[in-house]
Amino acid sequence: MSEQIRLCMAQINPVVGDVSANVEAIIQAAQEARTAHQADIVVFPEMTLTGYPPEDLLFRPALYEQVDQGLTRLCEAVSDVAMVVGYPMMDDLGERFNMAAWIADGEIQASYIKQNLPNYSVFDEKRYFSQDDQPCVVHYKGVGFGLLVCEDIWKFTPASQAVEAGANILLNLNASPFSQEKHRDRIEVVRRRVNEVKCPIVYVNQVGGQDELVFDGGSFATCAEGEVQVQAPEFVKALTPVTVLKQADAVAIAPGEKASLYEDEARIYQALKLGLKDYVHKNGFQGVLLGLSGGIDSALTLAIAVDALGADQVEAVMMPFHYTAQISQEDAAAQAKRLNVAFQTLPIETIYAGFESLLAPRFEGRSIDTTEENLQARIRGVLLMAMSNKLGKVVLATSNKSEVAVGYSTLYGDMVGGFSPLKDVSKTWVYRLARYRNQLPDAETAPVIPPRVIERPPSAELRPDQTDQDTLPEYDVLDPVIEALVGRDESPEVIATQLSVELALVRRIAAMIQKNEYKRRQSAPGVKVSPRAFGRDRRYPITSGYKE
């Protein structure tokens, strides 16, 4: 006869630094888990009290005062269910630790210090924390629960130590950010640990957007054979019950709920939606506005914004000039009407003429070049930012990763904005996501993105008959080279051979990427969806004499 322990994976969406609000969310989730799921234990993500990553807030002594107050509040408010929560701690010597605590019966009964501190990609934990090498096992109702924090599960030692110390099941608290294949990677790593230590693992992940990071949730529990027995949904808050069976000679996890997981375009689209939604809401903006050009980047950005925030929170502005095609104006107006967003047209000819007249004496004797093209984009940027100031709405930049990589964008022009949803989305993926969005059920009768926008050659429309390929290689050539250079740091020689591309072209693209670091450093944050994104994930000097 098996005895049952009811555990709940609490996949919550904290706000970084708002300790009091996060504590109340923990209390609410714990009470709901107890009431709705008869939970004995509720397991929360890594750094639950502060949210993740708090970055240099961890240097503020007042943060730890708030965390201590929060832990006291948890002990006082919840007594009928055990909780496992994550938080930062600073000791009397000023050392800081990434912690997990077992709270039950009104007190912290056990605590664990994270052993493996990631210091790669977007992680800087060695900047903030000291590590430990001791396991923590809590015995509850005859079962040994071993506590681990995020990176610990990616290494053998912490898991094996916990099992040697008497753990029958491992509870892993995570703040693991999204990238395209990350969920599969997590399951593979957990299966590897299960195969080594021969015990079930419960993997609880944070959900929500935090600046350029998105946490996709997707918490899960595996049995001792490595099979996923319980799967929480992705990209939403969730309380997912897990039944732990205490048997005569083993501890098992019973089959339970298994949420469907997203694939390919759908997963990327959900990440972009959540990242944008939380950036707007957590920063208190009154909505968003963007320049809608009739091109595919702004069209996709508009669709994501409406899906994330609702049409009433989105405003689109068309700012035509001499070179703006009539079909661009028609398609922009049609999409705005289709999505029921506020839309206005602000022609920029008069403003441009004023700038041209003012600058004419200084530019006398110099031929027309990209200066005049960039001026158009910068006028549009000024108008958008003026409306942003007045209306309290954040401007969405619409540049994609391909443009950002090689500098095919105008600083203070089309790069202007407070958030850039497509910053880590290559142009080829922009097309894939646009087609995906037009295949969803609500687009069956009328496409959300006008088909002509997808079918037309892409153009900045800053000079007559301009197309992107006047300046850039075809995107199906450019994007794989960018991915190899940026995502994998491969050499031009290797890339040229692997992709069957001329070495001179690869070197040209590499030079463009290096040359435009100064633009990227000034660009708006955007959702990270690839394994390696521009921003905190990739840090190169602006001033550099390096040559490949």
Side-chain angles (χ1 to χ4, degrees):
M1 187 71 178
S2 298
E3 295 182 39
Q4 294 187 1
I5 298 175
R6 194 74 160 170
L7 181 149
C8 218
M9 299 187 295
Q11 188 170 285
I12 69 170
N13 185 349
V15 177
V16 163
D18 196 345
V19 177
S20 60
N22 295 337
V23 166
E24 294 309 311
I26 294 168
I27 293 170
Q28 181 180 352
Q31 292 172 341
E32 183 180 344
R34 182 62 178 163
T35 302
H37 301 293
Q38 297 74 54
D40 301 298
I41 308 166
V42 189
V43 184
F44 291 87
E46 178 181 16
M47 299 280 280
T48 330
L49 272 72
T50 60
Y52 190 93
E55 301 183 90
D56 281 7
L57 290 176
L58 291 163
F59 293 139
R60 309 294 296 182
L63 179 71
Y64 301 93
E65 297 173 9
Q66 295 176 29
V67 168
D68 289 343
Q69 294 167 5
L71 290 169
T72 299
R73 168 81 174 128
L74 290 177
C75 291
E76 293 172 347
V78 180
S79 59
D80 57 350
V81 60
M83 297 178 293
V84 184
V85 300
Y87 62 99
M89 182 194 77
M90 184 166 65
D91 66 14
D92 294 337
L93 299 176
E95 282 197 277
R96 296 174 296 271
F97 303 93
N98 188 335
M99 306 287 296
W102 182 288
I103 300 175
D105 300 323
E107 63 179 358
I108 297 176
Q109 296 187 343
S111 60
Y112 170 75
I113 298 174
K114 186 175 183 178
Q115 296 190 42
N116 289 305
L117 303 177
N119 217 62
Y120 56 86
S121 184
V122 300
F123 303 106
D124 288 309
E125 292 205 16
K126 290 184 179 180
R127 174 179 172 88
Y128 305 110
F129 297 122
S130 298
Q131 61 195 76
D132 195 32
D133 60 1
Q134 297 300 309
C136 177
V137 178
V138 178
H139 293 278
Y140 178 81
K141 294 190 175 183
V143 174
F145 290 89
L147 305 187
L148 300 175
V149 177
C150 205
E151 189 79 4
D152 290 335
I153 204 66
W154 292 72
K155 309 293 183 182
F156 169 71
T157 301
S160 65
Q161 283 181 336
V163 172
E164 289 173 6
N168 308 114
I169 184 171
L170 301 177
L171 306 179
N172 186 222
L173 287 64
N174 298 271
S176 177
F178 170 82
S179 64
Q180 191 171 359
E181 302 296 331
K182 194 66 171 288
H183 186 73
R184 297 182 183 93
D185 293 341
R186 296 178 195 131
I187 290 177
E188 178 59 35
V189 166
V190 169
R191 282 176 173 161
R192 197 179 309 147
R193 292 292 86 79
V194 167
N195 185 58
E196 293 166 349
V197 300
K198 311 299 182 187
C199 77
I201 296 177
V202 176
Y203 183 106
V204 181
N205 194 29
Q206 179 176 308
V207 71
Q210 172 57 33
D211 297 340
E212 63 261 60
L213 300 182
V214 171
F215 298 89
D216 50 315
S219 305
F220 60 94
T222 65
C223 64
E225 291 71 41
E227 294 304 312
V228 175
Q229 299 289 78
V230 182
Q231 176 66 64
E234 297 175 294
F235 302 106
V236 293
K237 294 187 291 185
L239 288 173
T240 306
V242 176
T243 300
V244 179
L245 303 175
K246 179 191 173 187
Q247 301 167 331
D249 58 350
V251 170
I253 291 180
E257 298 179 13
K258 281 193 177 182
S260 298
L261 301 179
Y262 291 100
E263 295 289 343
D264 300 328
E265 289 88 349
R267 177 173 275 133
I268 298 291
Y269 199 84
Q270 292 298 322
L272 297 173
K273 280 175 51 182
L274 180 56
L276 174 57
K277 178 181 179 180
D278 275 3
Y279 190 84
V280 171
H281 289 169
K282 290 180 179 181
N283 285 293
F285 290 109
Q286 302 304 304
V288 302
L289 60 93
L290 70 151
L292 190 62
S293 68
I296 192 166
D297 297 317
S298 63
L300 179 61
T301 302
L302 181 64
I304 293 168
V306 171
D307 290 343
L309 303 167
D312 61 327
Q313 296 294 302
V314 181
E315 183 174 346
V317 185
M318 160 59 81
M319 294 167 282
F321 188 58
H322 304 322
Y323 310 126
T324 306
Q326 183 63 33
I327 60 172
S328 295
Q329 299 182 57
E330 293 169 358
D331 288 343
Q335 187 186 15
K337 182 178 180 181
R338 168 69 179 81
L339 290 174
N340 196 31
V341 300
F343 178 73
Q344 60 181 311
T345 299
L346 300 177
I348 66 169
E349 284 92 345
T350 303
I351 302 173
Y352 182 88
F355 274 99
E356 189 177 40
S357 175
L358 186 64
L359 291 167
R362 187 67 183 86
F363 290 175
E364 186 177 359
R366 298 175 183 268
S367 60
I368 292 175
D369 55 18
T370 55
T371 304
E372 285 73 17
E373 295 181 24
N374 290 337
L375 184 56
Q376 300 165 49
R378 289 179 176 135
I379 289 169
R380 293 174 176 131
V382 168
L383 293 174
L384 289 170
M385 289 308 302
M387 288 184 281
S388 174
N389 290 160
K390 188 66 71 175
L391 303 175
K393 297 180 178 182
V394 63
V395 175
L396 299 184
T398 60
S399 295
N400 59 66
K401 187 175 187 176
S402 306
E403 296 171 347
V404 168
V406 298
Y408 191 66
S409 51
T410 303
L411 196 59
Y412 320 124
D414 58 325
M415 289 179 67
V416 79
F419 198 69
S420 181
L422 303 183
K423 184 176 182 178
D424 195 32
V425 180
S426 69
K427 190 75 169 189
T428 49
W429 264 95
V430 167
Y431 282 103
R432 289 180 64 173
L433 292 173
R435 294 187 180 99
Y436 161 78
R437 184 59 186 88
N438 275 355
Q439 292 170 0
L440 294 183
D442 68 336
E444 288 180 354
T445 55
V448 168
I449 297 174
R452 284 194 310 195
V453 172
I454 300 173
E455 296 160 2
R456 291 171 58 201
S459 171
E461 294 191 329
L462 297 174
R463 64 174 183 265
D465 302 318
Q466 183 182 31
T467 69
D468 291 4
Q469 272 57 62
D470 295 340
T471 305
L472 303 177
E474 295 288 342
Y475 285 112
D476 59 356
V477 174
L478 176 65
D479 287 346
V481 173
I482 291 173
E483 176 56 30
L485 287 165
V486 174
R488 300 191 295 275
D489 279 327
E490 293 177 349
S491 72
E493 291 77 11
V494 169
I495 295 168
T497 300
Q498 289 180 342
L499 299 180
S500 299
V501 178
E502 290 184 5
L503 178 58
L505 177 58
V506 178
R507 286 177 172 162
R508 175 186 160 217
I509 295 169
M512 294 169 76
I513 292 172
Q514 183 174 345
K515 177 182 178 182
N516 286 284
E517 185 64 37
Y518 80 101
K519 285 189 180 182
R520 291 189 294 273
R521 195 72 67 89
Q522 300 178 69
S523 64
V527 183
K528 169 180 158 58
V529 296
S530 72
R532 195 176 190 200
F534 291 117
R536 61 181 294 156
D537 199 11
R538 178 185 181 275
R539 306 169 201 180
Y540 274 73
I542 296 173
T543 305
S544 170
Y546 176 77
K547 297 292 187 295
E548 186 67 57

